[in-house]
Structure formats: structure tokens, C-alpha cells
């Protein structure tokens, strides 16, 4: 069994045979309910360099000794401070028996004003379950390839608009990804990315998929 815990915004723990932490924006996240130092991941995945995704990655990595997986360029920036692993879209790593694949996202990426390489999503293949974290992205036609080739069981999709796709965009994405279940993210953290999860739920159900809409820190069993 794999547990998914939403820490708010785009930050999730995926806990099975290992503990994967993605985009740990917690300390400055207005909707977060935990302290970053309470997390003890085996690996930290960063989708891109923006502050609301890199967040507390350095502090958590130093505490937990978990390496940070990021684009080649972002890992070059972070490697003086923490142990990093680099990847780019199309690449797959095997980490303690878990397969992690980086895929495209349509977005930008910088870190403290420095170019931070590609903006990415990740497919985490753990304990027989495939989870797609889309990162910050617009919907794009190649999500159909991600659906056909990676066949994610669950997709974590941004719905807040403004910097990413909105609810209607996420439904278009879901129809290409064809994952049975979907969890919304990247909404209602700031006023610019307001979205109604009830509207998302209704539209996902109408499209024939299963929405899972966690509260912050609720544990979802997949
Ligand atoms: Ni971003
Ligand atoms: Mn973002």
C-alpha cells in the first residue's frame, strides 16, 4: 500500500517502501500545518526552481540526509549546500528499488534569479503503483504520451490557473492521462490561484474519473 499525504500547494509525501517528498514548500506556505523539520524523507524531488517548490528542500535535506533530485541546472546550483542528484526529462533513476522518471512540463524555472533548467513533472513507480506529479504546467498534447506510455494510476494536477492550468485545463489533461484517480494541487494557497474543489470534483466525475480531494495533512491510501 502507498500513502499520499498532501502538505498543501504542490507538496506531497508519497510513503510506501520508501518515503518520497515532492516540492516541500512548507515554512512560508500559508496553508501548511506542519513544521518542515517533522519530515524525514529518503529523497526529495523538486519539479522546478521557483520558491513555492524548492521551499524548505535545503533544510529538510540537511536534517534528513535525503538527497535532492532536480534538473541538471538546479542541482548544479544546490550541490554546494546539499547532496543532489540530477535528471532531465526522459530520464529514469532507480532509487532504493523505486523508479522515478522525469517528464516535461510547460512552465518556466529559475532559482533566486538564476536559470534553473527544465521545469518537469515526475512519475513515481513504487510498490506497484504509478503516481504522476505534473509539477507546474499548462495542459499539453504530450500528456497523451505520458498516459499511453507511463499509464499512471493517480495524477496530481495543478488546478489553480494563472501560473498553471486551471480546472478546465486539468480535465483536458486528465482525459489524455487516463489515470483512474486524480488529486488536485496548486490552488487556494494565494489569491491568484483560487479554485473551487467542488467544481473540480463535479467535472472529474462527469468525465468518468475518480477525484480524491484531501484536506492538508489528510492521509490517502492508494
Ligand atoms: Ni512555478
Ligand atoms: Mn508554483
Amino acid at each position: 500500500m502507498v500513502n499520499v499525504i498532501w502538505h498543501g500547494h504542490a507538496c506531497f509525501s508519497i510513503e510506501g517502501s520508501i518515503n518520497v517528498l515532492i516540492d516541500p514548500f512548507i515554512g512560508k506556505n500559508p496553508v501548511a500545518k506542519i513544521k518542515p523539520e517533522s519530515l524525514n524523507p529518503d529523497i526529495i524531488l523538486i519539479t522546478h526552481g521557483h520558491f513555492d517548490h524548492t521551499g524548505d528542500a535545503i533544510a529538510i535535506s540537511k536534517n534528513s540526509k535525503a538527497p535532492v533530485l532536480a534538473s541538471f541546472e538546479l542541482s548544479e546550483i544546490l550541490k554546494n549546500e546539499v547532496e543532489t542528484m540530477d535528471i532531465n526529462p526522459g530520464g529514469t533513476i532507480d532509487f532504493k528499488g523505486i523508479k522515478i522518471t522525469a517528464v516535461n512540463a510547460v512552465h518556466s524555472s529559475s532559482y533566486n534569479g538564476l536559470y534553473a533548467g527544465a521545469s518537469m513533472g515526475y512519475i513515481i513507480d513504487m510498490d506497484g503503483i504509478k503516481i504522476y506529479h505534473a509539477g507546474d504546467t499548462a495542459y499539453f498534447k504530450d500528456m497523451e504520451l505520458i498516459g499511453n506510455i507511463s499509464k499512471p494510476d493517480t495524477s496530481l494536477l495543478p488546478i489553480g490557473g494563472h501560473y498553471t492550468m486551471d480546472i478546465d485545463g486539468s480535465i483536458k489533461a486528465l482525459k489524455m492521462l487516463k489515470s483512474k484517480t486524480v488529486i488536485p494541487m496548486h490552488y487556494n494557497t494565494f489569491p491568484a490561484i483560487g479554485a473551487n474543489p467542488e467544481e473540480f470534483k463535479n467535472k472529474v466525475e462527469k468525465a468518468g474519473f475518480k477525484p480524491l480531494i484531501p484536506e492538508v495533512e489528510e492521509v490517502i491510501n492508494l
Side-chain angles (χ1 to χ4, degrees), residues 56-69:
D56 305 287
I58 290 174
I60 295 170
S61 176
K62 283 181 174 168
N63 258 339
S64 61
K65 306 283 180 265
V68 173
L69 180 69

Side-chain angles (χ1 to χ4, degrees), residues 67-143:
V68 173
L69 180 69
S71 71
F72 172 79
E73 288 80 3
L74 184 55
S75 79
E76 286 290 297
I77 296 170
L78 299 177
K79 75 179 183 189
N80 292 331
E81 296 216 63
V82 292
E83 183 193 342
T84 60
M85 299 172 70
D86 59 356
I87 196 165
N88 254 330
T92 298
I93 62 159
D94 190 312
F95 183 82
K96 298 185 177 180
I98 303 309
K99 280 202 170 61
I100 300 167
T101 299
V103 296
N104 277 343
V106 175
H107 195 63
S108 60
S109 180
S110 59
Y111 180 79
N112 291 340
L114 299 171
Y115 172 65
S119 199
M120 305 182 294
Y122 288 107
I123 311 272
I124 298 110
D125 185 348
M126 173 154 62
D127 305 348
I129 293 177
K130 289 181 186 169
I131 297 170
Y132 169 49
H133 186 297
D136 277 5
T137 188
Y139 65 90
F140 54 99
K141 183 72 173 162
D142 283 359
M143 284 177 168

